[in-house]
C-alpha cells in the first residue's frame, strides 16, 4: 500500500478512538464512514470535470451537512439516513437499514470536516481509494473479530485462489456469501491487471456492470461490500449485490461461469429473513430444495450444494470449506459422492490453522468444474496440497502471506493442469503435493476426503515445537474446535435424523 494511502487509512482509523468512548464497535465506525464517504463522492461527481447529474436529492446531500453544527447537524444526518433508503437503486442499497450511531455532534462534525471533506476522493485512482477502504475493512476485522472478521477472508489467500482460477474479461463471477467483497474485487482486479490494456469498449462495460454478482444476508455488511466495489470502479447504477437475501433459500435464477466463495463458518443452518429493524429472524432449520442432492441442517453442505447449482456448464468453482465437509457421514457422504461423480473435483488445498479471525477453524479450498451429464464419474484424480502439516501461522505474530502460497500456485499449473507432477513420492515422503485416483477415493470409508500423509515433526521431535505464542494460539483453536464438536453432538441428540437421497 502506498504511503499516501496508508496515511489516509491511519488518519481515518485515528478517529475510531473518538468513538470508542461512545461504545461503538470498529465495524459500526467503518459503516458510518461508508455513509459519509458516499455522500461526499456523490457530490464530487456533480462538480467539474465530471458534471454528472446529482443522484442525491438537494437538502439531503453533502453540502447540507457542511453548513450545519451541533444538534441541528445530528438531527439532519438522521433525516438523511431515514430518507435515502426510500429512493431505491444503488443509493437505497447503501443506506438500507441505516442508523445514526454517532451520538456526539462534535465528533460527527470532525468526521465530516477533518476526515472526509479535505480529500478529493473522486480524483484518486480507483486502486488507491479502494486500498484505503480495504485498509479500513482489514482493521475492522483485526480489531473486532466478532464484527467484520466473520465476513473477512485473508486477502493473501484470496489472491492465491484468484491467481490459479485466472478469471478473464468474459467471465461472470459470483459469490453467494460475499461479505465485504474480497473475492469479487480480487477477480475484478486480476482482469484489470492482466488484460486491462487490451479490453475493447464492450469488455470494459461488461467489467463495470456485469462481471461480478453477489449476495449478502446482513445489510450492514452488504453496504460495505457495495461501497467497496464502487470505490474500485464498478458501476453504481445497478447494485451487483443482493442485500438482506438468504441465497440458500431458493433456486438461483442466474448461472455463472465462475464461483468464488468462503461461506460463513458454523455447522447448523437455518433459513433466515431480515426484519424491518435489520435483524435476523429464524424461519426454518432445513432447506427443502428440489435441486439439492440431500436435505441437511449442515450450513456448509448446503452452501456446497447451492454453489453447484450456480455454475454454468463448464463453469469453475473455488470454495472454502471446513474439515467436516470432507469426512462427515450421512448427508456429507451423499454430497461428496454426487459431487465427485457429476463434477470434476480436481484440487484440494488443505489450509493451515491460525489464518482466520474465527477461532478453531480447520479449513480447505475445494476446486471443481461443472460438466455435462454422463454415467462415468467426471473426477478421475484429486490433487491435494497440504499447507497445514508443520505449518504455523497466527493473525498478528506470523500472518499468512501470498508468498507462502507460491509453491501451491506453481504446483497447481494454472491453465495447464494436465502437466501436473507430484512432489510426494516414496523417495520424497515430505512432498506436499500428490494425487489420489477416484477409484482409491471411492473405496474409502464414507468416501472420506480428509487426506493427510505428512508426519507432524512436533510429534517426532520436541525440538521442532513451534514458538510458545504460536503453540498457545493452536491450543486455543483446538479447544474451540473441540467445543464446537461437542455442541454439534448435543444438537444432533436433540433433533431428528437427516434425510438423504
Amino acid at each position: 500500500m502506498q504511503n499516501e494511502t496508508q496515511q489516509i487509512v491511519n488518519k481515518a482509523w485515528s478517529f475510531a478512538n473518538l468513538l470508542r468512548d461512545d461504545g461503538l464497535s470498529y465495524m459500526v465506525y467503518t459503516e458510518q464512514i461508508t455513509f459519509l464517504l458516499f455522500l461526499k463522492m456523490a457530490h464530487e461527481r456533480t462538480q467539474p470535470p465530471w458534471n454528472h447529474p446529482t443522484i442525491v436529492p438537494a437538502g439531503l446531500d453533502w453540502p447540507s451537512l457542511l453548513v450545519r453544527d451541533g444538534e441541528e447537524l445530528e438531527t439532519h444526518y438522521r433525516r438523511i439516513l431515514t430518507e435515502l433508503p426510500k429512493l431505491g437503486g444503488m443509493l437505497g442499497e447503501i443506506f438500507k437499514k441505516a442508523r445514526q450511531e454517532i451520538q456526539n455532534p462534535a465528533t460527527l462534525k470532525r468526521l465530516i470536516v477533518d476526515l472526509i471533506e479535505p480529500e478529493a476522493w473522486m480524483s484518486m485512482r480507483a486502486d488507491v481509494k479502494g486500498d484505503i477502504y480495504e485498509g479500513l475493512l482489514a482493521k475492522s476485522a483485526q480489531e473486532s473479530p466478532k464484527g467484520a472478521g466473520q465476513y473477512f477472508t485473508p486477502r493473501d489467500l484470496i489472491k492465491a485462489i484468484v491467481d490459479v482460477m485466472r478469471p478473464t474479461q468474459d467471465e461472470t463471477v459470483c459469490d453467494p456469501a460475499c461479505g465485504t467483497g474480497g473475492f469479487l474485487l480480487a477477480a475484478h482486479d486480476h482482469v484489470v491487471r492482466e488484460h486491462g490494456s487490451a479490453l475493447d469498449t464492450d469488455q470494459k462495460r461488461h467489467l463495470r456492470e456485469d462481471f461480478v454478482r453477489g449476495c449478502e444476508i446482513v445489510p450492514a455488511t452488504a453496504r460495505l461490500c457495495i461501497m467497496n466495489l464502487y470505490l474500485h470502479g464498478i458501476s453504481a447504477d445497478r447494485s451487483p449485490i443482493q442485500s438482506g437475501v438468504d441465497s440458500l433459500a431458493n433456486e438461483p435464477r442466474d448461472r455463472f461461469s465462475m464461483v468464488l466463495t468462503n461461506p460463513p463458518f458454523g455447522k447448523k443452518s437455518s433459513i433466515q429473513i431480515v426484519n424491518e429493524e435489520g435483524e435476523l429472524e429464524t424461519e426454518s432449520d432445513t432447506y427443502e430444495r428440489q435441486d439439492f442432492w440431500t436435505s441437511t441442517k449442515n450450513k456448509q453442505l448446503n452452501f456446497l450444494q447451492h454453489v453447484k447449482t450456480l455454475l454454468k456448464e463448464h463453469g469453475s468453482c473455488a470454495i472454502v470449506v471446513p474439515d467436516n465437509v470432507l469426512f462427515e457421514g450421512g448427508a456429507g457422504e451423499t454430497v461428496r459422492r454426487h459431487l465427485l461423480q457429476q463434477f470434476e473435483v480436481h484440487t484440494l488445498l488443505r489450509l493451515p490453522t491460525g489464518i482466520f479471525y474465527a477461532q478453531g477453524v480447520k479449513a480447505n479450498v475445494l476446486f471443481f468444474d461443472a460438466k455435462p451429464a454422463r454415467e462415468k464419474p467426471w473426477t478421475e484424480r484429486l490433487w491435494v496440497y497440504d499447507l497445514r502439516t508443520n505449518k504455523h501461522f497466527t493473525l498478528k505474530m506470523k500472518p499468512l502471506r501470498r508468498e507462502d502460497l507460491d509453491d501451491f500456485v506453481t504446483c497447481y499449473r494454472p491453465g495447464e493442469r494436465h502437466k501436473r507432477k507430484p512432489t510426494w513420492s516414496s523417495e520424497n515422503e515430505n512432498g506436499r503435493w500428490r494425487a489420489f485416483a477416484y477409484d482409491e477415493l471411492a473405496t474409502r470409508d464414507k468416501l472420506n476426503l480428509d487426506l493427510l500423509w505428512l508426519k507432524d515433526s512436533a510429534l517426532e521431535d520436541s525440538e521442532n515445537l513451534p514458538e510458545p505464542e504460536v503453540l498457545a494460539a493452536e491450543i486455543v483453536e483446538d479447544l474451540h474446535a473441540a467445543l464446537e464438536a461437542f455442541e454439534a453432538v448435543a444438537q444432533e441428540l436433540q433433533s431428528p435424523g437427516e434425510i438423504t437421497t
Side-chain angles (χ1 to χ4, degrees):
M1 188 180 292
Q2 300 174 4
N3 289 335
E4 60 175 327
T5 306
Q6 188 62 55
Q7 288 174 1
I8 300 175
V9 171
N10 292 337
K11 180 181 177 182
W13 201 246
S14 68
F15 281 83
N17 295 323
L18 296 174
L19 301 177
R20 295 184 71 174
D21 292 337
D22 296 334
L24 294 188
S25 69
Y26 294 98
M27 186 74 162
V28 170
Y29 167 70
T30 305
E31 183 182 61
Q32 296 297 309
I33 293 295
T34 297
F35 300 144
L36 297 172
L37 196 55
F38 186 84
L39 290 172
K40 174 62 158 58
M41 288 193 298
H43 173 65
E44 288 181 4
R45 283 168 59 90
T46 69
Q47 306 300 303
W50 299 279
N51 298 314
H52 292 304
T54 181
I55 62 173
V56 181
L60 300 175
D61 53 7
W62 183 253
S64 72
L65 289 170
L66 292 175
V67 299
R68 289 174 167 82
D69 287 293
E71 292 185 6
E72 182 188 5
L73 173 62
E74 182 190 354
T75 301
H76 183 67
Y77 181 49
R78 183 177 291 109
R79 175 171 172 252
I80 289 176
L81 299 186
T82 301
E83 294 298 323
L84 292 186
K86 301 176 183 178
L87 301 180
M90 187 75 161
L91 199 63
E93 287 294 337
I94 285 183
F95 290 90
K96 187 176 184 178
K97 312 297 183 185
R99 296 178 180 179
Q100 208 308 48
E101 301 283 1
I102 304 173
Q103 305 302 321
N104 187 333
T107 301
L108 178 59
K109 186 69 174 180
R110 286 192 63 185
L111 287 174
I112 294 171
V113 174
D114 295 340
L115 176 61
I116 307 295
E117 174 63 15
E119 305 296 339
W121 298 90
M122 288 301 299
S123 298
M124 297 179 187
R125 300 193 312 275
D127 58 338
V128 171
K129 60 189 175 186
D131 282 347
I132 292 169
Y133 199 69
E134 281 284 293
L136 282 175
L137 292 174
K139 281 183 174 289
S140 293
Q142 292 166 4
E143 298 294 334
S144 182
K146 291 184 179 179
Q150 60 182 307
Y151 311 104
F152 205 86
T153 307
R155 291 308 190 240
D156 291 280
L157 173 61
I158 288 178
K159 289 177 183 177
I161 292 173
V162 171
D163 284 345
V164 299
M165 294 293 285
R166 298 172 67 179
T168 69
Q169 63 271 22
D170 300 318
E171 307 276 6
T172 51
V173 181
C174 176
D175 184 346
C178 62
T180 57
F183 275 111
L184 300 178
L185 285 172
H188 174 271
D189 291 348
H190 178 89
V191 173
V192 171
R193 183 176 63 253
E194 298 294 328
H195 309 286
S197 61
L199 299 181
D200 60 31
T201 301
D202 289 339
Q203 290 171 328
K204 289 179 180 178
R205 183 184 302 111
H206 172 76
L207 192 63
R208 286 195 312 270
E209 300 177 359
D210 300 310
F211 180 73
V212 299
R213 286 289 180 270
C215 290
E216 175 50 52
I217 192 171
V218 182
T221 307
R223 73 167 57 95
L224 298 177
C225 178
I226 294 167
M227 189 65 169
N228 210 1
L229 297 176
Y230 180 63
L231 285 169
H232 280 79
I234 294 174
S235 175
D237 296 334
R238 179 168 59 95
S239 176
I241 306 301
Q242 286 187 289
S243 170
V245 174
D246 183 355
S247 59
L248 294 177
N250 299 295
E251 295 184 22
R253 291 177 296 178
D254 300 314
R255 301 294 185 272
F256 304 89
S257 62
M258 185 174 293
V259 173
L260 306 171
T261 188
N262 177 13
F265 295 126
K267 187 175 181 182
K268 193 171 183 180
S269 184
S270 60
I271 300 175
Q272 296 174 312
I273 57 174
V274 180
N275 62 24
E276 290 301 317
E277 288 70 40
E279 298 170 344
L280 297 181
E281 293 181 346
T282 298
E283 187 176 78
S284 172
D285 279 343
T286 305
Y287 297 86
E288 299 291 344
R289 281 181 46 176
Q290 298 302 311
D291 57 342
F292 278 12
W293 292 313
T294 181
S295 296
T296 175
K297 296 178 181 178
N298 185 309
K299 182 188 300 183
Q300 291 290 334
L301 291 175
N302 281 327
F303 261 108
L304 189 54
Q305 294 184 93
H306 178 61
V307 162
K308 63 94 175 176
T309 69
L310 287 169
L311 287 176
K312 294 179 178 179
E313 190 171 291
H314 302 296
S316 57
C317 172
I319 178 173
V320 180
V321 296
D323 278 11
N324 73 77
V325 168
L326 303 182
F327 60 75
E328 188 170 298
E333 180 182 356
T334 299
V335 170
R336 289 191 298 277
R337 196 167 297 280
H338 281 289
L339 189 68
L340 266 65
Q341 290 174 346
Q342 298 177 27
F343 292 76
E344 183 184 1
V345 186
H346 53 82
T347 310
L348 176 66
L349 170 61
R350 308 303 307 268
L351 295 174
T353 59
I355 66 172
F356 292 99
Y357 293 101
Q359 291 291 324
V361 172
K362 291 186 176 180
N364 317 266
V365 187
L366 198 59
F367 299 82
F368 58 87
D369 297 338
K371 297 292 183 181
R374 76 175 189 183
E375 290 188 13
K376 182 181 177 182
W378 274 105
T379 301
E380 296 183 355
R381 66 177 56 84
L382 174 64
W383 289 84
V384 183
Y385 191 96
D386 182 356
L387 192 63
R388 182 180 304 175
T389 307
N390 302 321
K391 293 286 186 177
H392 304 283
F393 298 93
T394 61
L395 290 177
K396 294 185 177 181
M397 298 295 295
K398 189 184 177 185
L400 180 75
R401 302 298 186 192
R402 171 61 183 82
E403 52 266 29
D404 295 314
L405 291 143
D406 282 350
D407 187 53
F408 164 70
V409 173
T410 299
C411 290
Y412 188 103
R413 301 294 294 259
E416 47 183 15
R417 298 202 310 257
H418 61 286
K419 295 183 179 180
R420 288 176 170 179
K421 294 182 179 180
T423 61
W424 175 92
S425 67
S426 56
E427 291 76 29
N428 180 26
E429 295 184 348
N430 293 320
R432 295 185 176 274
W433 179 241
R434 66 180 293 187
F436 294 83
Y438 174 81
D439 292 341
E440 179 183 356
L441 299 174
T443 59
R444 290 173 60 89
D445 183 42
K446 300 178 183 178
L447 215 159
N448 187 332
L449 300 182
D450 191 23
L451 302 161
L452 294 170
W453 60 92
L454 298 177
K455 295 180 180 179
D456 189 332
S457 60
L459 299 178
E460 299 290 320
D461 187 350
S462 60
E463 292 184 358
N464 291 318
L465 286 172
E467 294 299 318
E469 63 271 15
V470 175
L471 188 59
E474 291 182 349
I475 291 172
V476 170
E477 290 167 352
D478 287 340
L479 288 174
H480 277 283
L483 179 59
E484 183 178 296
F486 281 120
E487 289 175 344
V489 171
Q491 290 173 359
E492 291 299 320
L493 292 175
Q494 295 172 8
S495 58
E498 295 171 341
I499 304 169
T500 58
T501 59

